[in-house]
Amino acid sequence: MSQAEIGLIGLGTMGSALALNIADNGFDIAVFNRTTSVTQDFAKEAGPLADKITPTESLADFVAAIKEPRAIILMVPAGDPVDDQIAALADLIGPNDLIIDAGNANFHDTNRRVRAIKTPFLGIGVSGGEEGARFGPAIMGGGPKEHWDRVSHILSAIAAKFQDSPCADWMGEEGAGHFVKAVHNGIEYADMQLIAETYGLMRDGLGMDSAAIGKIFEGWNEGVLQSYLVEISGKVAGTVDGATNAPLLDVIVDAAGQKGTGRWTAIEAQHLATPIPVIEAAVVARNLSARRDQRARMEELFGTGPTEINADDLPVSLMEQAMICGKILCYDQGFGMIRGASEQFGWNLQLPAIAQVWREGCIIRSAMLDDMASAFTDDADRSLMAAPFFADLISKTHDSLRKVVSVAALHGVAVPAHASALAYFDAMRTGRGTANMIQGQRDFFGLHGFARLDDGTSDNHGPWA
Ligand code: 6PG
Protein backbone atom coordinates (compact mmCIF):
# COMPACT_ATOMS: atom_id res chain seq x y z
CA MET A 1 0.00 0.00 0.00
CA SER A 2 1.46 3.41 -0.95
CA GLN A 3 1.59 5.76 1.99
CA ALA A 4 -0.45 8.91 2.33
CA GLU A 5 1.19 12.33 2.11
CA ILE A 6 -0.86 13.67 4.99
CA GLY A 7 -3.38 12.46 7.57
CA LEU A 8 -6.51 13.99 9.05
CA ILE A 9 -8.30 13.14 12.27
CA GLY A 10 -11.90 14.20 12.82
CA LEU A 11 -14.43 13.67 10.06
CA GLY A 12 -17.10 16.10 11.19
CA THR A 13 -18.49 18.60 8.70
CA MET A 14 -15.31 20.67 8.40
CA GLY A 15 -12.92 17.72 8.64
CA SER A 16 -14.69 15.73 5.91
CA ALA A 17 -14.80 18.73 3.61
CA LEU A 18 -11.11 19.48 4.17
CA ALA A 19 -10.12 15.84 3.58
CA LEU A 20 -12.06 15.77 0.29
CA ASN A 21 -10.44 19.05 -0.73
CA ILE A 22 -6.97 17.62 -0.04
CA ALA A 23 -7.77 14.46 -2.04
CA ASP A 24 -9.30 16.55 -4.81
CA ASN A 25 -6.02 18.42 -5.13
CA GLY A 26 -4.17 15.20 -5.80
CA PHE A 27 -2.75 14.40 -2.36
CA ASP A 28 -3.12 10.94 -0.85
CA ILE A 29 -4.68 11.30 2.57
CA ALA A 30 -5.25 8.91 5.48
CA VAL A 31 -8.29 9.63 7.64
CA PHE A 32 -9.43 8.57 11.07
CA ASN A 33 -12.47 9.26 13.20
CA ARG A 34 -13.12 8.10 16.74
CA THR A 35 -16.38 6.51 15.60
CA THR A 36 -15.48 3.96 12.92
CA SER A 37 -18.85 4.06 11.17
CA VAL A 38 -18.26 7.77 10.45
CA THR A 39 -14.98 6.88 8.69
CA GLN A 40 -16.68 4.10 6.74
CA ASP A 41 -19.54 6.33 5.63
CA PHE A 42 -17.09 9.04 4.65
CA ALA A 43 -15.08 6.59 2.50
CA LYS A 44 -18.26 5.29 0.87
CA GLU A 45 -19.42 8.79 0.01
CA ALA A 46 -16.06 9.94 -1.34
CA GLY A 47 -16.96 8.70 -4.84
CA PRO A 48 -14.11 8.98 -7.33
CA LEU A 49 -11.89 10.57 -4.67
CA ALA A 50 -11.90 7.30 -2.71
CA ASP A 51 -8.72 6.23 -4.55
CA LYS A 52 -6.83 9.02 -2.83
CA ILE A 53 -8.22 8.29 0.62
CA THR A 54 -7.04 5.66 3.10
CA PRO A 55 -9.73 5.16 5.73
CA THR A 56 -8.37 3.69 8.97
CA GLU A 57 -10.07 2.18 11.99
CA SER A 58 -7.40 2.53 14.66
CA LEU A 59 -5.05 5.35 15.50
CA ALA A 60 -2.08 3.01 15.06
CA ASP A 61 -3.22 2.05 11.53
CA PHE A 62 -3.80 5.71 10.78
CA VAL A 63 -0.28 6.70 11.81
CA ALA A 64 1.21 3.76 9.93
CA ALA A 65 -0.61 4.81 6.77
CA ILE A 66 1.18 8.19 6.56
CA LYS A 67 4.56 8.80 4.95
CA GLU A 68 7.34 9.85 7.38
CA PRO A 69 8.02 12.46 8.59
CA ARG A 70 4.28 12.66 9.04
CA ALA A 71 1.93 15.61 8.84
CA ILE A 72 -1.32 15.13 10.74
CA ILE A 73 -4.21 17.57 10.69
CA LEU A 74 -6.54 17.64 13.70
CA MET A 75 -10.09 18.73 12.98
CA VAL A 76 -11.59 18.02 16.39
CA PRO A 77 -13.54 20.42 18.63
CA ALA A 78 -11.41 23.13 20.24
CA GLY A 79 -10.28 22.74 23.84
CA ASP A 80 -9.75 19.45 25.69
CA PRO A 81 -10.44 17.21 22.66
CA VAL A 82 -7.34 18.68 20.99
CA ASP A 83 -5.16 17.96 24.04
CA ASP A 84 -6.66 14.46 24.33
CA GLN A 85 -5.94 13.75 20.68
CA ILE A 86 -2.37 15.01 20.96
CA ALA A 87 -1.87 12.79 24.03
CA ALA A 88 -3.29 9.78 22.18
CA LEU A 89 -0.88 10.35 19.29
CA ALA A 90 2.17 10.94 21.48
CA ASP A 91 3.27 7.31 21.75
CA LEU A 92 2.59 6.53 18.11
CA ILE A 93 4.37 9.31 16.26
CA GLY A 94 8.05 10.10 15.76
CA PRO A 95 10.00 13.18 16.91
CA ASN A 96 9.78 14.86 13.50
CA ASP A 97 6.10 14.23 12.91
CA LEU A 98 4.06 17.40 12.63
CA ILE A 99 0.67 17.95 14.27
CA ILE A 100 -1.49 20.69 12.76
CA ASP A 101 -4.49 21.91 14.73
CA ALA A 102 -6.88 23.27 12.13
CA GLY A 103 -9.82 23.86 14.47
CA ASN A 104 -10.97 27.14 15.99
CA ALA A 105 -8.54 26.97 18.92
CA ASN A 106 -8.10 29.75 21.42
CA PHE A 107 -4.67 31.13 20.48
CA HIS A 108 -3.52 30.96 24.11
CA ASP A 109 -3.95 27.17 23.91
CA THR A 110 -1.95 27.15 20.68
CA ASN A 111 0.81 29.21 22.33
CA ARG A 112 0.92 26.66 25.12
CA ARG A 113 0.92 23.69 22.76
CA VAL A 114 3.63 25.07 20.49
CA ARG A 115 5.83 25.46 23.57
CA ALA A 116 4.92 22.27 25.40
CA ILE A 117 4.53 19.59 22.75
CA LYS A 118 7.70 17.67 22.03
CA THR A 119 6.96 17.07 18.34
CA PRO A 120 6.54 19.91 15.81
CA PHE A 121 3.21 21.71 16.10
CA LEU A 122 1.27 24.27 14.06
CA GLY A 123 -2.01 26.02 14.76
CA ILE A 124 -3.84 27.09 11.63
CA GLY A 125 -7.03 29.11 11.36
CA VAL A 126 -9.30 27.85 8.59
CA SER A 127 -12.18 30.00 7.45
CA GLY A 128 -14.95 29.60 4.93
CA GLY A 129 -17.44 27.23 6.50
CA GLU A 130 -18.14 23.84 4.95
CA GLU A 131 -18.08 25.06 1.36
CA GLY A 132 -14.79 26.86 1.92
CA ALA A 133 -13.21 23.82 3.53
CA ARG A 134 -14.30 21.70 0.57
CA PHE A 135 -13.46 24.03 -2.31
CA GLY A 136 -11.01 26.59 -0.96
CA PRO A 137 -10.80 28.13 2.50
CA ALA A 138 -8.62 30.98 3.70
CA ILE A 139 -5.81 29.59 5.85
CA MET A 140 -3.94 31.50 8.56
CA GLY A 141 -0.87 29.60 9.76
CA GLY A 142 0.91 29.96 13.09
CA GLY A 143 3.87 28.25 14.71
CA PRO A 144 7.50 27.75 13.72
CA LYS A 145 7.98 28.84 10.10
CA GLU A 146 10.02 25.77 9.18
CA HIS A 147 7.03 23.56 10.04
CA TRP A 148 4.74 25.72 7.92
CA ASP A 149 7.17 25.36 5.03
CA ARG A 150 6.86 21.58 5.23
CA VAL A 151 3.14 21.64 4.44
CA SER A 152 2.64 24.98 2.72
CA HIS A 153 2.49 23.33 -0.73
CA ILE A 154 -0.55 21.31 0.39
CA LEU A 155 -2.22 24.17 2.25
CA SER A 156 -1.67 26.57 -0.64
CA ALA A 157 -3.07 24.03 -3.11
CA ILE A 158 -6.29 23.54 -1.15
CA ALA A 159 -6.77 27.23 -0.27
CA ALA A 160 -8.99 29.70 -2.07
CA LYS A 161 -7.26 31.73 -4.77
CA PHE A 162 -7.45 35.45 -5.30
CA GLN A 163 -6.33 36.10 -8.87
CA ASP A 164 -4.23 32.91 -8.77
CA SER A 165 -2.63 33.84 -5.47
CA PRO A 166 -3.43 31.34 -2.68
CA CYS A 167 -5.23 32.70 0.37
CA ALA A 168 -2.97 30.74 2.70
CA ASP A 169 -0.03 32.24 4.50
CA TRP A 170 2.11 31.95 7.57
CA MET A 171 1.05 34.70 9.97
CA GLY A 172 3.72 34.34 12.64
CA GLU A 173 5.09 32.34 15.54
CA GLU A 174 3.15 30.43 18.19
CA GLY A 175 -0.61 31.01 18.14
CA ALA A 176 -0.43 33.86 15.61
CA GLY A 177 -2.56 31.95 13.07
CA HIS A 178 -5.32 31.25 15.55
CA PHE A 179 -5.08 34.81 16.85
CA VAL A 180 -5.61 36.23 13.35
CA LYS A 181 -8.50 33.78 12.88
CA ALA A 182 -10.07 35.00 16.13
CA VAL A 183 -9.88 38.62 14.96
CA HIS A 184 -11.36 37.49 11.64
CA ASN A 185 -14.26 36.02 13.58
CA GLY A 186 -14.66 39.17 15.66
CA ILE A 187 -14.90 41.15 12.44
CA GLU A 188 -17.30 38.51 11.10
CA TYR A 189 -19.57 39.15 14.11
CA ALA A 190 -19.40 42.92 13.47
CA ASP A 191 -20.09 42.66 9.74
CA MET A 192 -23.07 40.43 10.50
CA GLN A 193 -24.35 42.77 13.20
CA LEU A 194 -24.11 45.85 10.94
CA ILE A 195 -26.19 43.96 8.36
CA ALA A 196 -28.68 42.75 10.98
CA GLU A 197 -29.14 46.31 12.29
CA THR A 198 -29.82 47.56 8.79
CA TYR A 199 -32.32 44.75 8.36
CA GLY A 200 -33.96 45.93 11.61
CA LEU A 201 -34.21 49.50 10.35
CA MET A 202 -35.84 48.34 7.15
CA ARG A 203 -38.16 45.82 8.83
CA ASP A 204 -39.21 47.70 11.98
CA GLY A 205 -38.69 51.30 10.90
CA LEU A 206 -39.64 51.27 7.23
CA GLY A 207 -42.03 48.31 7.43
CA MET A 208 -40.40 46.51 4.52
CA ASP A 209 -40.92 42.80 3.99
CA SER A 210 -38.10 40.28 3.81
CA ALA A 211 -38.20 39.85 0.05
CA ALA A 212 -37.82 43.60 -0.50
CA ILE A 213 -34.98 43.74 2.02
CA GLY A 214 -33.30 40.82 0.26
CA LYS A 215 -33.42 42.75 -3.01
CA ILE A 216 -31.74 45.76 -1.38
CA PHE A 217 -28.87 43.60 -0.11
CA GLU A 218 -28.62 42.01 -3.53
CA GLY A 219 -28.20 45.49 -5.01
CA TRP A 220 -25.61 46.51 -2.41
CA ASN A 221 -23.64 43.43 -3.30
CA GLU A 222 -22.99 45.02 -6.70
CA GLY A 223 -21.34 48.07 -5.13
CA VAL A 224 -18.74 49.07 -2.55
CA LEU A 225 -20.25 46.64 -0.04
CA GLN A 226 -19.74 43.62 -2.30
CA SER A 227 -19.03 40.78 0.10
CA TYR A 228 -19.95 37.22 0.90
CA LEU A 229 -21.93 38.26 3.98
CA VAL A 230 -24.02 40.87 2.17
CA GLU A 231 -24.59 38.36 -0.63
CA ILE A 232 -25.84 35.60 1.69
CA SER A 233 -27.92 38.09 3.70
CA GLY A 234 -29.76 38.91 0.48
CA LYS A 235 -30.34 35.22 -0.09
CA VAL A 236 -31.42 34.57 3.50
CA ALA A 237 -33.89 37.48 3.38
CA GLY A 238 -35.27 36.32 0.03
CA THR A 239 -35.91 32.72 1.13
CA VAL A 240 -39.44 31.49 1.73
CA ASP A 241 -40.18 28.87 4.39
CA GLY A 242 -41.45 25.67 2.77
CA ALA A 243 -43.66 24.76 5.74
CA THR A 244 -45.49 28.06 6.22
CA ASN A 245 -44.94 29.93 2.97
CA ALA A 246 -43.84 32.87 5.10
CA PRO A 247 -40.43 34.49 4.67
CA LEU A 248 -38.00 32.14 6.37
CA LEU A 249 -36.55 34.99 8.45
CA ASP A 250 -39.99 35.51 10.02
CA VAL A 251 -39.95 32.03 11.53
CA ILE A 252 -36.34 32.03 12.77
CA VAL A 253 -35.94 32.66 16.53
CA ASP A 254 -34.19 35.98 17.18
CA ALA A 255 -31.49 34.62 19.49
CA ALA A 256 -28.01 34.30 17.98
CA GLY A 257 -25.72 31.42 18.87
CA GLN A 258 -21.97 31.69 19.27
CA LYS A 259 -19.17 29.26 19.75
CA GLY A 260 -16.98 31.83 21.46
CA THR A 261 -14.40 33.17 19.03
CA GLY A 262 -15.95 36.64 18.89
CA ARG A 263 -16.04 36.71 22.66
CA TRP A 264 -12.36 35.69 22.83
CA THR A 265 -11.52 38.58 20.54
CA ALA A 266 -13.38 41.06 22.73
CA ILE A 267 -11.71 39.71 25.89
CA GLU A 268 -8.27 39.77 24.28
CA ALA A 269 -8.77 43.31 23.04
CA GLN A 270 -9.32 44.38 26.63
CA HIS A 271 -6.10 42.67 27.71
CA LEU A 272 -4.21 44.31 24.86
CA ALA A 273 -5.92 47.68 25.48
CA THR A 274 -6.69 47.93 21.78
CA PRO A 275 -10.14 49.48 21.22
CA ILE A 276 -12.51 47.38 19.09
CA PRO A 277 -15.89 48.84 20.11
CA VAL A 278 -17.79 47.75 16.98
CA ILE A 279 -16.76 44.13 17.51
CA GLU A 280 -17.55 44.39 21.21
CA ALA A 281 -20.97 45.81 20.38
CA ALA A 282 -21.60 42.84 18.11
CA VAL A 283 -20.64 40.35 20.83
CA VAL A 284 -22.86 42.17 23.33
CA ALA A 285 -25.72 42.17 20.83
CA ARG A 286 -25.46 38.38 20.53
CA ASN A 287 -25.52 37.98 24.30
CA LEU A 288 -28.48 40.33 24.53
CA SER A 289 -30.31 38.55 21.72
CA ALA A 290 -30.37 35.40 23.86
CA ARG A 291 -32.41 37.19 26.57
CA ARG A 292 -35.69 36.73 24.77
CA ASP A 293 -37.93 36.40 27.82
CA GLN A 294 -36.51 39.49 29.46
CA ARG A 295 -36.90 41.44 26.23
CA ALA A 296 -40.51 40.38 25.96
CA ARG A 297 -41.15 41.48 29.58
CA MET A 298 -39.49 44.86 29.00
CA GLU A 299 -41.58 45.37 25.88
CA GLU A 300 -44.68 44.82 28.00
CA LEU A 301 -43.38 47.25 30.61
CA PHE A 302 -42.13 50.07 28.37
CA GLY A 303 -43.88 49.48 25.09
CA THR A 304 -42.13 48.48 21.90
CA GLY A 305 -39.10 50.48 20.84
CA PRO A 306 -39.35 50.78 17.08
CA THR A 307 -41.77 53.31 15.68
CA GLU A 308 -42.47 53.97 12.04
CA ILE A 309 -39.80 55.90 10.14
CA ASN A 310 -40.69 58.11 7.21
CA ALA A 311 -38.92 56.72 4.14
CA ASP A 312 -37.71 60.26 3.28
CA ASP A 313 -35.81 60.36 6.59
CA LEU A 314 -34.08 57.08 5.92
CA PRO A 315 -33.36 56.53 2.23
CA VAL A 316 -31.89 53.16 1.44
CA SER A 317 -28.77 54.83 0.02
CA LEU A 318 -28.19 56.52 3.40
CA MET A 319 -28.09 53.12 5.10
CA GLU A 320 -25.70 51.82 2.46
CA GLN A 321 -23.34 54.75 3.05
CA ALA A 322 -23.62 54.28 6.81
CA MET A 323 -22.70 50.63 6.51
CA ILE A 324 -19.70 51.47 4.35
CA CYS A 325 -18.49 53.89 7.01
CA GLY A 326 -19.20 51.51 9.90
CA LYS A 327 -17.44 48.68 8.13
CA ILE A 328 -14.26 50.67 7.49
CA LEU A 329 -14.18 51.84 11.12
CA CYS A 330 -14.66 48.27 12.31
CA TYR A 331 -11.77 47.02 10.16
CA ASP A 332 -9.64 49.91 11.35
CA GLN A 333 -10.20 48.56 14.85
CA GLY A 334 -9.60 44.92 13.91
CA PHE A 335 -6.34 45.67 12.13
CA GLY A 336 -5.38 48.01 14.99
CA MET A 337 -5.84 45.11 17.40
CA ILE A 338 -3.64 42.90 15.23
CA ARG A 339 -0.98 45.59 15.20
CA GLY A 340 -1.20 45.89 19.00
CA ALA A 341 -0.88 42.12 19.46
CA SER A 342 2.03 42.00 17.07
CA GLU A 343 3.90 44.57 19.17
CA GLN A 344 3.01 43.06 22.53
CA PHE A 345 3.65 39.42 21.56
CA GLY A 346 6.64 40.17 19.29
CA TRP A 347 4.98 38.41 16.35
CA ASN A 348 5.81 40.81 13.51
CA LEU A 349 2.37 40.27 11.96
CA GLN A 350 2.14 41.57 8.42
CA LEU A 351 -1.07 43.52 7.81
CA PRO A 352 -0.80 43.40 3.98
CA ALA A 353 -0.45 39.60 4.08
CA ILE A 354 -3.41 39.27 6.44
CA ALA A 355 -5.66 41.43 4.27
CA GLN A 356 -4.52 39.42 1.25
CA VAL A 357 -5.40 36.09 2.89
CA TRP A 358 -8.86 37.45 3.77
CA ARG A 359 -9.65 38.46 0.17
CA GLU A 360 -11.05 35.04 -0.79
CA GLY A 361 -12.36 31.90 0.83
CA CYS A 362 -13.12 33.26 4.29
CA ILE A 363 -16.45 34.42 5.65
CA ILE A 364 -15.49 38.12 5.65
CA ARG A 365 -14.21 38.11 2.07
CA SER A 366 -15.15 41.28 0.26
CA ALA A 367 -14.12 43.67 -2.47
CA MET A 368 -13.02 46.14 0.18
CA LEU A 369 -10.41 43.73 1.51
CA ASP A 370 -8.47 44.02 -1.72
CA ASP A 371 -8.38 47.79 -1.25
CA MET A 372 -7.27 47.23 2.35
CA ALA A 373 -4.47 44.96 1.16
CA SER A 374 -3.36 47.73 -1.23
CA ALA A 375 -3.59 50.35 1.51
CA PHE A 376 -1.36 48.32 3.84
CA THR A 377 1.02 47.42 1.03
CA ASP A 378 1.49 51.17 0.47
CA ASP A 379 2.08 51.78 4.16
CA ALA A 380 1.73 49.02 6.75
CA ASP A 381 2.24 51.40 9.69
CA ARG A 382 -0.61 53.74 8.88
CA SER A 383 -4.07 53.10 10.32
CA LEU A 384 -6.74 52.14 7.83
CA MET A 385 -8.68 55.33 8.61
CA ALA A 386 -5.68 57.37 7.52
CA ALA A 387 -5.03 55.54 4.25
CA PRO A 388 -6.06 57.97 1.49
CA PHE A 389 -8.56 55.61 -0.20
CA PHE A 390 -10.36 54.90 3.08
CA ALA A 391 -9.99 58.41 4.51
CA ASP A 392 -11.77 59.62 1.39
CA LEU A 393 -14.54 57.04 1.77
CA ILE A 394 -14.99 57.91 5.44
CA SER A 395 -15.15 61.61 4.61
CA LYS A 396 -17.92 60.91 2.14
CA THR A 397 -19.94 58.59 4.40
CA HIS A 398 -19.62 59.62 8.06
CA ASP A 399 -22.45 62.10 7.76
CA SER A 400 -24.73 59.27 6.59
CA LEU A 401 -23.63 57.13 9.53
CA ARG A 402 -24.54 60.00 11.86
CA LYS A 403 -27.95 60.45 10.26
CA VAL A 404 -28.75 56.75 10.39
CA VAL A 405 -27.76 56.50 14.06
CA SER A 406 -29.80 59.64 14.84
CA VAL A 407 -32.90 58.42 13.03
CA ALA A 408 -32.58 55.01 14.67
CA ALA A 409 -32.25 56.59 18.12
CA LEU A 410 -35.25 58.86 17.59
CA HIS A 411 -37.38 55.91 16.50
CA GLY A 412 -36.22 53.38 19.08
CA VAL A 413 -34.38 50.99 16.78
CA ALA A 414 -31.27 49.56 18.47
CA VAL A 415 -28.21 49.94 16.25
CA PRO A 416 -25.32 49.34 18.67
CA ALA A 417 -22.65 48.50 16.08
CA HIS A 418 -23.46 51.58 13.99
CA ALA A 419 -23.57 53.76 17.10
CA SER A 420 -20.24 52.35 18.35
CA ALA A 421 -18.64 53.04 15.00
CA LEU A 422 -19.88 56.63 15.10
CA ALA A 423 -18.68 57.18 18.67
CA TYR A 424 -15.30 55.72 17.70
CA PHE A 425 -15.07 58.06 14.74
CA ASP A 426 -15.99 61.09 16.82
CA ALA A 427 -13.59 60.13 19.59
CA MET A 428 -10.75 59.43 17.19
CA ARG A 429 -11.05 62.78 15.50
CA THR A 430 -11.15 64.75 18.73
CA GLY A 431 -7.62 65.92 19.36
CA ARG A 432 -8.46 67.31 22.79
CA GLY A 433 -10.58 64.67 24.51
CA THR A 434 -12.22 64.61 27.92
CA ALA A 435 -9.94 62.23 29.83
CA ASN A 436 -8.45 65.27 31.58
CA MET A 437 -11.64 65.13 33.67
CA ILE A 438 -11.04 61.42 34.40
CA GLN A 439 -7.49 62.25 35.48
CA GLY A 440 -8.76 65.07 37.70
CA GLN A 441 -11.27 62.68 39.32
CA ARG A 442 -8.65 59.97 39.79
CA ASP A 443 -6.32 62.41 41.43
CA PHE A 444 -9.10 63.82 43.62
CA PHE A 445 -10.11 60.49 45.12
CA GLY A 446 -6.87 58.55 44.88
CA LEU A 447 -3.97 60.96 44.38
CA HIS A 448 -3.13 59.10 41.18
CA GLY A 449 -1.43 62.15 39.69
CA PHE A 450 -1.81 63.84 36.33
CA ALA A 451 0.42 65.22 33.62
CA ARG A 452 0.27 68.96 32.79
CA LEU A 453 -0.17 70.26 29.28
CA ASP A 454 1.66 73.55 29.89
CA ASP A 455 5.01 72.39 31.26
CA GLY A 456 4.92 68.67 30.30
CA THR A 457 5.49 67.49 33.87
CA SER A 458 3.85 64.31 35.14
CA ASP A 459 2.70 63.18 38.58
CA ASN A 460 1.13 66.48 39.55
CA HIS A 461 -1.66 66.80 42.07
CA GLY A 462 -4.60 69.16 42.45
CA PRO A 463 -5.17 71.44 45.43
CA TRP A 464 -7.81 69.15 46.97
CA ALA A 465 -7.47 68.43 50.63
C1 6PG B 1 -15.34 30.72 9.52
C2 6PG B 1 -16.29 30.90 10.67
C3 6PG B 1 -16.36 29.68 11.53
C4 6PG B 1 -17.23 29.87 12.77
C5 6PG B 1 -18.67 29.81 12.52
C6 6PG B 1 -19.54 29.90 13.76
O1 6PG B 1 -14.47 31.55 9.42
O2 6PG B 1 -15.50 29.78 8.75
O3 6PG B 1 -15.85 31.95 11.46
O4 6PG B 1 -15.07 29.38 11.92
O5 6PG B 1 -16.96 28.88 13.68
O6 6PG B 1 -19.02 30.79 11.64
O7 6PG B 1 -19.11 30.87 14.64
P1 6PG B 1 -20.06 31.34 15.83
O8 6PG B 1 -20.77 30.12 16.33
O9 6PG B 1 -19.18 31.90 16.87
O10 6PG B 1 -21.00 32.32 15.23
Side-chain angles (χ1 to χ4, degrees), residues 46-332:
L49 292 176
D51 284 353
K52 299 250 141 234
I53 296 168
T54 307
T56 59
E57 300 192 357
S58 76
L59 210 49
D61 286 350
F62 168 76
V63 170
I66 309 164
K67 215 182 283 173
E68 287 183 70
R70 302 177 184 88
I72 297 172
I73 297 177
L74 304 185
M75 253 315 191
V76 298
D80 291 343
V82 176
D83 289 315
D84 294 347
Q85 197 58 65
I86 293 167
L89 281 167
D91 291 337
L92 299 170
I93 60 175
N96 293 320
D97 290 349
L98 169 64
I99 298 179
I100 305 161
D101 177 12
N104 262 336
N106 185 317
F107 81 96
H108 289 294
D109 285 338
T110 308
N111 283 345
R112 167 177 60 78
R113 289 173 186 137
V114 167
R115 288 171 202 152
I117 294 166
K118 304 236 166 5
T119 54
F121 188 83
L122 285 177
I124 65 169
V126 177
S127 175
E130 184 185 3
E131 203 192 325
R134 175 64 185 88
F135 298 107
I139 299 178
M140 294 143 257
K145 174 82 162 55
E146 69 265 27
H147 302 332
W148 169 263
D149 290 340
R150 274 172 61 179
V151 285
S152 65
H153 64 292
I154 301 179
L155 300 176
S156 297
I158 66 166
K161 309 287 178 303
F162 180 85
Q163 296 169 359
D164 295 335
S165 159
C167 293
D169 208 346
W170 179 75
M171 303 282 109
E173 298 291 332
E174 304 179 317
H178 278 138
F179 172 81
V180 172
K181 175 63 175 32
V183 177
H184 164 285
N185 279 31
I187 293 174
E188 172 185 307
Y189 278 41
D191 274 345
M192 292 166 78
Q193 178 65 23
L194 286 168
I195 295 170
E197 289 174 10
T198 306
Y199 159 72
L201 282 165
M202 292 194 241
R203 183 191 68 181
D204 301 332
L206 298 176
M208 290 166 64
D209 64 32
S210 283
I213 296 170
K215 287 262 174 279
I216 302 289
F217 288 146
E218 219 176 89
W220 289 3
N221 197 41
E222 303 291 317
V224 179
L225 287 172
Q226 190 283 319
S227 62
Y228 172 70
L229 284 169
V230 168
E231 179 194 338
I232 66 162
S233 303
K235 289 182 177 156
V236 169
T239 300
V240 171
D241 174 42
T244 58
N245 243 0
L248 183 61
L249 270 180
D250 292 358
V251 298
I252 298 180
V253 172
D254 54 329
Q258 52 179 322
K259 296 207 184 76
T261 42
R263 182 183 297 144
W264 293 343
T265 309
I267 291 169
E268 201 55 41
Q270 293 291 343
H271 286 305
L272 291 165
T274 50
I276 55 161
V278 182
I279 294 171
E280 285 168 344
V283 177
V284 170
R286 285 209 191 183
N287 295 336
L288 203 144
S289 78
R291 307 196 160 203
R292 293 186 65 229
D293 293 345
Q294 277 153 288
R295 287 191 283 117
R297 280 203 299 279
M298 293 309 127
E299 183 174 325
E300 272 169 31
L301 191 58
F302 297 110
T304 184
T307 55
E308 201 181 320
I309 300 173
N310 187 323
D312 293 340
D313 294 335
L314 192 64
V316 163
S317 59
L318 198 75
M319 288 184 276
E320 183 183 19
Q321 300 292 303
M323 203 193 288
I324 291 169
C325 193
K327 186 176 167 105
I328 298 168
L329 294 164
C330 163
Y331 280 69
D332 180 75

Side-chain angles (χ1 to χ4, degrees), residues 3 6 60 91 245 436 459:
Q3 284 189 304
I6 194 163
D91 291 337
N245 243 0
N436 48 331
D459 210 21

